[in-house]
Amino acid sequence: MPIPGMPQPHQIQLTGEYRLHRYDGHYELALTGYQDPVVYENSEGIFDREKIPGLDYVRGMCEYLDKNGELYFIEALENGEYVPVGDVTVKDENPPLAIWRGEYRGRGLGTLVMKAVIDRLRELGYTRIRNSTVYKWNESSLKMHQKLGFKVVRETEREYFLDLEL
């Protein structure tokens, strides 16, 4: 939780079809997503197939994000039930967002989720998101950030760093 004493909502409803569900320790639900090449390349910057994230990696990542922000699984309504399709962490520095399942990419879900992150940070009293990191090959993430008003503030050979004034 980013602000001590501020309770994290159990759910944040995005639309009737999508919601954010507070992380409840079930990191194993993210394993398949983080073993998808699109996710581990665009989210983790991993191209070496020998380093594909395993269960220990995913557990460590979820534990870190849960301690350093408000970690949520992104859920979609399928056949009357919400199922996890990605994850996001509400935090004011580099809030990570990953859509695990390909059929949910390119449909505006990332934008919808990032808008919820922005709204939640405003609610918590933050005035800026710093260093949102996007790999240069992840053009769709860069476009989403820029569409939401993020500005590139620096770059390296592999990454853009973007800030947003809330």
Side-chain angles (χ1 to χ4, degrees):
M1 171 177 337
I3 297 181
M6 292 294 290
Q8 179 179 349
H10 182 70
Q11 293 178 31
I12 298 174
Q13 199 68 39
L14 304 175
T15 65
E17 186 178 359
Y18 300 112
R19 71 181 185 187
L20 303 181
H21 187 269
R22 182 180 180 169
Y23 173 69
D24 60 5
H26 288 285
Y27 56 86
E28 69 279 359
L29 297 174
L31 179 62
T32 304
Y34 279 93
Q35 291 184 331
D36 178 331
V38 173
V39 176
Y40 64 72
E41 290 172 5
N42 290 318
S43 174
E44 305 303 298
I46 296 171
F47 286 88
D48 182 345
R49 297 192 64 69
E50 298 293 318
K51 295 182 180 176
I52 295 171
L55 196 56
D56 287 339
Y57 180 99
V58 171
R59 180 181 58 241
M61 178 190 67
C62 287
E63 288 173 358
Y64 172 82
L65 293 172
D66 190 44
K67 288 179 185 166
N68 291 281
E70 293 183 350
L71 175 57
Y72 295 92
F73 282 174
I74 303 163
E75 295 184 328
L77 189 61
E78 292 183 355
N79 301 317
E81 287 186 43
Y82 282 98
V83 297
V85 299
D87 68 277
V88 66
T89 303
V90 175
K91 58 191 201 94
D92 69 324
E93 183 166 3
N94 192 22
L97 168 79
I99 307 296
W100 309 330
R101 293 189 28 205
E103 66 268 31
Y104 289 98
R105 296 183 199 125
R107 296 171 56 179
L109 180 56
T111 301
L112 185 66
V113 170
M114 188 57 79
K115 284 180 180 179
V117 168
I118 291 166
D119 290 345
R120 178 69 178 146
L121 286 169
R122 284 182 178 136
E123 179 184 329
L124 291 169
Y126 288 95
T127 59
R128 185 170 157 209
I129 296 175
R130 301 174 290 116
N131 293 317
S132 193
T133 307
V134 175
Y135 290 109
K136 289 190 171 180
W137 55 83
N138 192 348
E139 294 177 19
S140 61
S141 182
L142 179 62
K143 287 179 187 175
M144 181 220 31
H145 278 81
Q146 291 175 322
K147 181 170 68 171
L148 292 171
F150 283 81
K151 304 289 183 214
V152 174
V153 293
R154 68 185 174 91
E155 63 182 273
T156 66
E157 185 178 314
R158 290 172 39 111
E159 301 163 311
Y160 293 111
F161 298 86
L162 300 98
D163 286 3
L164 176 67
E165 297 300 322
L166 301 176

